[in-house]
Coordinates of all heavy atoms in Angstrom, one line a residue:
A1 N 251.1 147.9 196.9 CA 249.9 147.1 196.7 C 248.7 148.0 196.6 O 247.7 147.6 196.0 CB 249.7 146.1 197.9
D2 N 248.7 149.2 197.2 CA 247.5 150.1 197.2 C 247.5 151.1 196.1 O 246.9 152.2 196.3 CB 247.4 150.7 198.6 CG 248.6 151.6 198.9 OD1 249.6 151.4 198.2 OD2 248.5 152.4 199.9
L3 N 248.2 150.9 195.0 CA 248.2 151.8 193.9 C 246.8 151.9 193.3 O 246.0 151.0 193.2 CB 249.1 151.4 192.8 CG 250.6 151.5 193.1 CD1 251.4 150.9 191.9 CD2 251.0 152.9 193.3
S4 N 246.4 153.1 192.9 CA 245.2 153.3 192.2 C 245.5 153.0 190.7 O 246.6 152.8 190.3 CB 244.7 154.8 192.3 OG 245.6 155.7 191.7
L5 N 244.4 152.9 189.9 CA 244.6 152.6 188.5 C 245.4 153.6 187.8 O 246.3 153.3 187.0 CB 243.2 152.4 187.8 CG 243.3 152.1 186.3 CD1 244.1 150.9 186.0 CD2 241.8 152.0 185.7
G6 N 245.2 154.9 188.0 CA 246.0 156.0 187.4 C 247.4 155.9 187.8 O 248.3 156.0 186.9
E7 N 247.7 155.7 189.0 CA 249.1 155.6 189.5 C 249.8 154.4 188.9 O 251.0 154.4 188.5 CB 249.1 155.5 191.0 CG 248.7 156.8 191.7 CD 248.5 156.6 193.2 OE1 248.4 155.5 193.7 OE2 248.6 157.7 193.9
A8 N 249.1 153.3 188.8 CA 249.7 152.0 188.2 C 250.0 152.2 186.8 O 251.1 151.8 186.3 CB 248.7 150.9 188.4
L9 N 249.1 152.9 186.0 CA 249.4 153.1 184.6 C 250.5 154.1 184.4 O 251.3 153.9 183.5 CB 248.1 153.6 183.9 CG 247.0 152.5 183.8 CD1 245.8 153.1 183.1 CD2 247.4 151.2 183.2
R10 N 250.6 155.1 185.2 CA 251.7 156.1 185.1 C 253.0 155.4 185.4 O 254.0 155.7 184.7 CB 251.4 157.3 186.0 CG 250.3 158.2 185.4 CD 250.4 159.5 186.2 NE 249.9 159.4 187.5 CZ 248.6 159.4 187.9 NH1 247.7 159.6 187.0 NH2 248.3 159.3 189.2
L11 N 253.0 154.5 186.4 CA 254.2 153.8 186.7 C 254.6 152.9 185.5 O 255.8 152.8 185.1 CB 254.0 153.0 188.0 CG 255.2 152.1 188.4 CD1 256.5 152.9 188.6 CD2 254.8 151.3 189.6
A12 N 253.7 152.2 184.9 CA 254.0 151.3 183.8 C 254.5 152.0 182.6 O 255.5 151.6 182.0 CB 252.7 150.5 183.5
V13 N 253.8 153.2 182.3 CA 254.3 153.9 181.1 C 255.6 154.6 181.3 O 256.5 154.6 180.4 CB 253.2 155.0 180.8 CG1 253.7 155.9 179.7 CG2 251.9 154.3 180.4
A14 N 255.9 155.0 182.6 CA 257.2 155.6 182.9 C 258.3 154.5 182.7 O 259.4 154.8 182.2 CB 257.2 156.2 184.3
A15 N 258.0 153.3 183.1 CA 259.0 152.2 183.0 C 259.2 151.8 181.5 O 260.3 151.6 181.1 CB 258.5 151.0 183.7
L16 N 258.1 151.8 180.7 CA 258.3 151.5 179.3 C 259.1 152.6 178.6 O 259.8 152.3 177.6 CB 256.9 151.4 178.7 CG 256.0 150.2 179.1 CD1 254.6 150.3 178.5 CD2 256.7 148.9 178.6
G17 N 258.9 153.9 179.0 CA 259.7 154.9 178.4 C 261.1 155.0 178.8 O 261.9 155.7 178.1
S18 N 261.5 154.3 179.8 CA 262.9 154.3 180.2 C 263.7 153.0 179.7 O 264.8 152.8 180.2 CB 263.0 154.3 181.8 OG 262.4 153.2 182.3
G19 N 263.1 152.3 178.8 CA 263.7 151.0 178.4 C 264.9 151.2 177.4 O 265.6 150.2 177.2
D20 N 265.1 152.4 176.8 CA 266.1 152.5 175.8 C 267.5 152.7 176.4 O 268.5 152.9 175.7 CB 265.8 153.6 174.8 CG 265.5 154.9 175.5 OD1 265.6 154.9 176.7 OD2 265.3 155.9 174.8
G21 N 267.6 152.9 177.8 CA 268.9 153.1 178.4 C 269.3 154.5 178.5 O 270.2 154.9 179.2
S22 N 268.7 155.4 177.7 CA 269.0 156.9 177.7 C 268.0 157.6 178.6 O 267.4 157.1 179.5 CB 269.1 157.4 176.3 OG 267.9 157.2 175.7
A23 N 267.9 158.9 178.3 CA 266.9 159.7 179.0 C 265.5 159.2 178.8 O 265.2 158.6 177.7 CB 267.0 161.2 178.6
S24 N 264.6 159.3 179.8 CA 263.3 158.8 179.7 C 262.5 159.5 178.6 O 262.6 160.8 178.4 CB 262.6 159.0 181.0 OG 263.2 158.2 182.0
R25 N 261.7 158.8 177.9 CA 260.9 159.4 176.8 C 259.4 159.3 177.2 O 259.0 158.3 177.9 CB 261.1 158.8 175.5 CG 260.9 157.3 175.5 CD 261.4 156.6 174.2 NE 261.2 155.2 174.2 CZ 260.1 154.6 173.8 NH1 259.1 155.3 173.2 NH2 260.0 153.2 173.8
S26 N 258.6 160.2 176.7 CA 257.2 160.1 177.0 C 256.5 159.4 175.9 O 256.8 159.5 174.7 CB 256.6 161.5 177.1 OG 256.8 162.3 175.9
I27 N 255.5 158.5 176.2 CA 254.8 157.7 175.3 C 253.3 158.2 175.2 O 252.7 158.3 176.3 CB 254.8 156.2 175.6 CG1 256.3 155.8 175.8 CG2 254.1 155.4 174.6 CD1 256.4 154.3 176.2
E28 N 252.8 158.6 174.1 CA 251.5 159.1 173.9 C 250.5 157.9 174.1 O 250.8 156.7 173.9 CB 251.3 159.7 172.5 CG 252.2 160.9 172.3 CD 251.9 162.0 173.2 OE1 250.8 162.2 173.7 OE2 252.9 162.8 173.4
A29 N 249.3 158.3 174.5 CA 248.2 157.3 174.7 C 247.9 156.5 173.4 O 247.5 155.4 173.5 CB 247.0 158.0 175.2
A30 N 248.0 157.2 172.2 CA 247.8 156.5 171.0 C 248.8 155.4 170.7 O 248.5 154.5 169.8 CB 247.7 157.5 169.8
Q31 N 249.9 155.4 171.3 CA 250.9 154.4 171.1 C 250.9 153.3 172.1 O 251.8 152.4 172.0 CB 252.3 155.1 171.1 CG 252.5 156.2 170.2 CD 252.4 155.8 168.7 OE1 252.9 154.8 168.3 NE2 251.7 156.6 167.9
L32 N 249.9 153.2 172.9 CA 249.8 152.3 174.0 C 248.6 151.3 173.8 O 247.6 151.7 173.3 CB 249.7 152.9 175.4 CG 250.9 153.8 175.8 CD1 250.5 154.6 177.0 CD2 252.1 152.9 176.2
E33 N 248.8 150.1 174.3 CA 247.7 149.1 174.4 C 247.6 148.8 175.9 O 248.6 148.3 176.5 CB 248.0 147.9 173.6 CG 246.9 146.8 173.7 CD 247.3 145.6 173.0 OE1 248.3 145.5 172.4 OE2 246.4 144.6 173.1
V34 N 246.5 149.1 176.5 CA 246.3 148.9 177.9 C 245.0 148.2 178.2 O 243.9 148.5 177.5 CB 246.3 150.3 178.7 CG1 246.0 150.1 180.1 CG2 247.6 151.0 178.5
A35 N 245.0 147.3 179.1 CA 243.7 146.6 179.5 C 243.8 146.3 181.0 O 244.9 146.3 181.6 CB 243.5 145.3 178.7
V36 N 242.7 146.0 181.6 CA 242.7 145.7 183.0 C 241.7 144.6 183.3 O 240.8 144.3 182.5 CB 242.2 147.0 183.8 CG1 243.2 148.1 183.7 CG2 240.8 147.5 183.3
L37 N 242.0 143.9 184.4 CA 241.1 142.9 185.0 C 240.5 143.6 186.2 O 241.3 143.7 187.2 CB 241.8 141.6 185.3 CG 242.1 140.7 184.1 CD1 243.0 139.5 184.6 CD2 240.9 140.1 183.4
E38 N 239.3 144.0 186.2 CA 238.7 144.7 187.3 C 238.0 143.8 188.3 O 237.2 143.0 187.9 CB 237.7 145.8 186.8 CG 238.4 146.9 186.0 CD 237.4 147.9 185.5 OE1 236.2 147.6 185.3 OE2 237.8 149.1 185.4
R39 N 238.4 143.9 189.5 CA 237.9 143.0 190.6 C 236.4 143.2 190.8 O 235.7 142.2 191.1 CB 238.6 143.3 191.9 CG 238.5 142.2 192.9 CD 239.2 142.6 194.2 NE 240.5 143.3 194.0 CZ 241.6 142.6 193.7 NH1 241.7 141.3 193.6 NH2 242.8 143.3 193.5
D40 N 235.8 144.4 190.6 CA 234.4 144.6 191.0 C 233.4 144.3 189.9 O 232.2 144.4 190.1 CB 234.3 146.1 191.4 CG 235.0 146.5 192.6 OD1 235.3 145.6 193.4 OD2 235.4 147.7 192.8

């Protein structure tokens, strides 16, 4: 629950890169679409 924004995005990108069932792949920032709902 206490993840920072950077930690949350790195976790999400790591999960997206492991979806093919083989070795994890790195995804560049240009290949991602990311948005946030900021509480403040």
Side-chain angles (χ1 to χ4, degrees):
D2 59 346
L3 287 174
S4 66
L5 178 57
E7 292 172 340
L9 293 182
R10 285 193 292 272
L11 175 60
V13 173
L16 292 173
S18 63
D20 54 359
S22 59
S24 299
R25 58 190 177 90
S26 60
I27 305 176
E28 301 295 333
Q31 303 296 318
L32 293 169
E33 179 185 358
V34 177
V36 293
L37 286 173
E38 293 182 330
R39 198 182 318 279
D40 296 335

